[in-house]
Amino acid sequence: MSQDTTSPKARRGRPPASPRNTPDTRTALIRSGLEALTEQGFMASGIDGVLKRVGVPKGSFYYYFASKEAFGRAVMQHYGTYFAYKLDKHLLDESRRPLHRLDAFVADARAGMERHQFRRGCLVGNLGQEVGGLPDGYRQWLQTTLDDWQQRLARCLKEAQTAGELSETADCDRLAEAFWIGWEGAVMRARLERSARPLDTFIAVYMAGLPR
Amino acid sequence: MSQDTTSPKARRGRPPASPRNTPDTRTALIRSGLEALTEQGFMASGIDGVLKRVGVPKGSFYYYFASKEAFGRAVMQHYGTYFAYKLDKHLLDESRRPLHRLDAFVADARAGMERHQFRRGCLVGNLGQEVGGLPDGYRQWLQTTLDDWQQRLARCLKEAQTAGELSETADCDRLAEAFWIGWEGAVMRARLERSARPLDTFIAVYMAGLPR
């Protein structure tokens, strides 16, 4: 991810009057925030660190976002869009059989974690773990997002059922829910062990346990 | 858990010279710390909040523990002992068939989460999620603890295999690893949803997927 998309000329004094002039700074702040939140979660992430990565003064931050809370919401929004796109890229890929699409998503996510030396987790998992101390409304967003992911996966599992890859009696909604429950645990464990092994163990046992 | 095991007479001035006089205060601090860490994790837990729950002055804290880091270690140690006892109580219970022992552990843990309105998670899961920002050595403790739990469960699964409840070809070590990966995800999700449903979904899908 690009971490420096600010204008080459450093700005001084008051921030610019119109946000339309600096969409790149806002995007860079969100990207930096995403890195911080996937690495450290919400409470441990300071705005100073986010600004430092991007190289903008604090005044600029409050020009784009009313508060750390509003910033967190923007980061979640960005992540939600990104992740839904990534999921669809795999789960709607008709060139593969339905269950292979899930394998492809896992392989993609695994490669992403490896690329960042297993330092970054899932934003939803990180925030979910600290939900007791988060601003109002974050909990709802996390639940809605997980429900959305579950529905996308359940559709893919139902296609697998239609294609004869899964038993006719399989409860695809429940299997999809179990996938995301286990997946968040696997991502957490992969960060802990700094290894892809937990992701591999999880998906192997999940796939082997599906009713065929 | 008792939250007020300090002496009825409030102490003033210097803390007592010998820790042997006040084992209850140390225990109460560890219990209070355990509550804080299972609710909020390490980074968001302040020593002030821990002291407030117990009702002891800050000077006393540093009499018992050199630092927040040392305190965290003492809490982890306490939790590790408590959890291993709880696991063994169920997994070594010869009055039940091996797989029923695992069900009994889950039912016990589920009741515990319910009792605390799903506000408290697993200390290992909470700290695991914020491992990037934790003191050196915490990561090792978390991994060692999870390995220990896995070995205890793998022994139970091997007994299930001997008893004919599991397929002879089942890889009990891997199945035990997958249990703890999914369990941590389920506990996180139960806190998020403030409901036992994710625990129920996880264990039902895990049990149904075991090779018989």
Side-chain angles (χ1 to χ4, degrees):
Chain A
M1 268 192 270
S2 165
Q3 294 189 25
D4 188 1
T5 54
T6 50
S7 156
K9 256 194 189 169
R11 286 191 189 87
R12 286 175 176 278
R14 285 175 64 99
S18 163
R20 281 171 304 175
N21 296 334
T22 53
D24 285 354
T25 304
R26 188 176 191 278
T27 303
L29 284 170
I30 288 176
R31 284 183 171 168
S32 174
L34 185 56
E35 289 172 19
L37 265 62
T38 51
E39 284 180 20
Q40 307 157 24
F42 184 77
M43 284 183 275
S45 291
I47 287 170
D48 290 341
V50 167
L51 295 169
K52 204 174 164 187
R53 295 192 203 208
V54 179
V56 303
K58 203 152 188 169
S60 295
F61 179 85
Y62 289 105
Y63 174 72
Y64 294 105
F65 305 100
S67 60
K68 183 180 170 188
E69 181 178 337
F71 179 57
R73 285 178 196 276
V75 172
M76 293 192 302
Q77 184 67 45
H78 176 82
Y79 186 80
T81 306
Y82 151 81
F83 202 89
Y85 169 81
K86 184 174 189 149
L87 263 183
D88 279 354
K89 190 179 87 178
H90 295 295
L91 300 184
L92 302 177
D93 176 5
E94 297 197 352
S95 74
R96 293 176 193 267
R97 286 190 293 130
L99 290 184
H100 279 196
R101 300 177 201 165
L102 181 55
D103 278 327
F105 160 74
V106 169
D108 186 354
R110 182 189 194 280
M113 286 198 77
E114 206 150 36
R115 199 159 51 242
H116 297 294
Q117 296 86 46
F118 300 97
R119 279 197 318 270
R120 295 187 195 163
C122 170
L123 183 70
V124 169
N126 285 13
L127 299 190
Q129 199 64 267
E130 51 182 353
V131 74
L134 296 181
D136 285 348
Y138 278 33
R139 183 191 298 268
Q140 189 52 53
W141 181 85
L142 293 168
Q143 287 187 253
T144 304
T145 302
L146 282 164
D147 283 347
D148 174 68
W149 297 354
Q150 273 170 220
Q151 284 167 29
R152 288 173 204 261
L153 179 55
R155 279 196 292 274
C156 180
L157 294 177
K158 282 169 192 165
E159 282 191 58
Q161 209 167 26
T162 306
E165 288 189 289
L166 273 187
S167 157
E168 283 179 17
T169 59
D171 181 340
C172 294
D173 291 309
R174 194 163 76 159
L175 290 172
E177 189 183 352
F179 175 85
W180 291 111
I181 287 171
W183 178 254
E184 291 298 345
V187 168
M188 186 276 276
R189 189 72 176 269
R191 286 174 76 207
L192 178 62
E193 297 190 5
R194 289 188 273 217
S195 143
R197 184 192 153 93
L199 304 176
D200 298 340
T201 298
F202 164 70
I203 193 62
V205 170
Y206 180 82
M207 285 291 187
L210 288 175
R212 308 283 178 154
Chain B
M1 270 191 271
S2 165
Q3 293 189 27
D4 188 3
T5 55
T6 51
S7 156
K9 257 195 190 168
R11 286 194 191 84
R12 287 178 174 276
R14 285 174 66 99
S18 161
R20 281 172 303 176
N21 296 334
T22 53
D24 285 355
T25 304
R26 188 176 191 278
T27 304
L29 285 168
I30 288 177
R31 284 183 173 167
S32 174
L34 184 57
E35 288 171 21
L37 265 61
T38 51
E39 283 180 21
Q40 309 157 21
F42 184 78
M43 284 183 276
S45 291
I47 287 171
D48 290 341
V50 167
L51 295 170
K52 204 173 164 188
R53 294 193 204 209
V54 180
V56 302
K58 204 153 189 169
S60 294
F61 179 85
Y62 289 105
Y63 174 71
Y64 294 105
F65 305 101
S67 61
K68 182 180 172 189
E69 181 178 337
F71 178 57
R73 284 178 198 277
V75 173
M76 294 192 301
Q77 184 68 44
H78 175 81
Y79 186 80
T81 305
Y82 151 81
F83 201 88
Y85 169 81
K86 184 174 189 147
L87 262 183
D88 280 354
K89 189 178 87 178
H90 296 294
L91 299 184
L92 302 177
D93 176 5
E94 296 198 351
S95 73
R96 292 177 193 268
R97 288 190 291 130
L99 289 185
H100 279 196
R101 300 177 200 167
L102 181 57
D103 277 327
F105 160 74
V106 169
D108 185 355
R110 182 189 194 281
M113 286 198 77
E114 208 151 34
R115 198 160 50 241
H116 298 294
Q117 295 86 45
F118 300 97
R119 281 197 319 269
R120 295 187 193 162
C122 170
L123 182 71
V124 169
N126 285 14
L127 298 189
Q129 200 64 266
E130 51 183 351
V131 73
L134 296 182
D136 285 348
Y138 278 32
R139 183 191 298 269
Q140 188 53 52
W141 181 84
L142 293 167
Q143 287 186 254
T144 304
T145 301
L146 283 164
D147 284 347
D148 174 66
W149 297 353
Q150 272 169 220
Q151 283 168 29
R152 288 173 205 260
L153 179 56
R155 278 197 293 273
C156 180
L157 295 176
K158 281 169 195 166
E159 282 190 58
Q161 208 167 25
T162 305
E165 288 188 290
L166 274 186
S167 156
E168 282 180 18
T169 59
D171 182 340
C172 294
D173 292 309
R174 194 163 75 161
L175 290 172
E177 189 182 350
F179 176 85
W180 291 111
I181 287 172
W183 178 253
E184 291 298 344
V187 168
M188 186 277 275
R189 190 70 175 272
R191 285 174 76 207
L192 178 62
E193 297 190 4
R194 290 189 272 217
S195 142
R197 184 192 153 91
L199 304 177
D200 297 340
T201 298
F202 164 69
I203 193 63
V205 171
Y206 181 81
M207 286 291 187
L210 287 176
R212 308 282 177 155

